[in-house]
Amino acid sequence: MRAVVQRVIRASVMINGSVQSAIKSGLMILLGIEDADGPDDIQWLSNKLINLRIFNDSNGVMNLSLMEIRGDILLVSQFTLFAATKKGNRPSYIRASKADIAIPLYESMIIQLEKELGKRIYTGVFGADMQVDLLNDGPVTIVIDTKQKDL
């Protein structure tokens, strides 16, 4: 799994001109899923996301986690995170899982995050044409890949 994590002041997803989901302070997470992903990736990434210390404490130092600030998560599936751009100018998405594999993993990630955070996880709609609007705070943007845990 690959996640692009952004600390946000606000974020929302629109589908067909209507707001699907919206959050205030928290994390906007774009999630890419590949066939090699499984329950261990979900567990590891969920724990990392909930406990990542990227929110400011009273001294303005990034020392607090999402759990500690009781922030929200907006989680959006994003197959283009596995784009291969080595050949030519048209990206290939062959590494991205098809819906029959990706949807159950995406839904499992939502359940795991809700369990660990103890609150609702806001989402887009898998496979939909979505417009994402956000105000990145910092800016803070981090890329996490479960296949590169040592980085």
Side-chain angles (χ1 to χ4, degrees), residues 23-56:
I23 64 168
K24 293 195 177 177
S25 181
L27 298 177
M28 170 67 215
I29 303 168
L30 302 174
L31 183 69
I33 298 170
E34 62 179 328
D35 289 353
D37 293 328
D40 290 343
D41 297 286
I42 292 168
Q43 182 67 43
W44 183 86
L45 184 56
S46 177
N47 184 272
K48 181 65 74 175
L49 294 168
I50 298 297
N51 294 296
L52 198 60
R53 293 171 27 178
I54 60 171
F55 293 91
N56 293 348

Side-chain angles (χ1 to χ4, degrees), residues 91-106:
S92 167
Y93 303 106
I94 199 162
R95 280 188 56 200
S97 290
K98 303 291 186 253
D100 60 326
I101 292 173
I103 290 173
L105 290 171
Y106 178 68

Side-chain angles (χ1 to χ4, degrees), residues 117-135:
L117 192 56
K119 61 193 296 190
R120 176 182 176 198
I121 301 302
Y122 296 87
T123 66
V125 173
F126 190 94
D129 181 20
M130 297 175 271
Q131 290 71 51
V132 177
D133 181 48
L134 63 96
L135 181 56

Side-chain angles (χ1 to χ4, degrees), residues 2 8 18-19 29-30 45 63 70 72 74 78-79 84 88 94 106-107 114-115 120-121 126 130 135 146 148-149:
R2 185 170 291 159
V8 298
S18 298
V19 175
I29 303 168
L30 302 174
L45 184 56
N63 200 31
R70 298 298 299 151
D72 289 321
L74 178 53
Q78 184 71 43
F79 74 93
I94 199 162
Y106 178 68
E107 291 173 349
E114 286 179 338
K115 178 179 157 188
R120 176 182 176 198
I121 301 302
F126 190 94
M130 297 175 271
L135 181 56
T146 62
Q148 299 178 355
K149 294 175 185 162

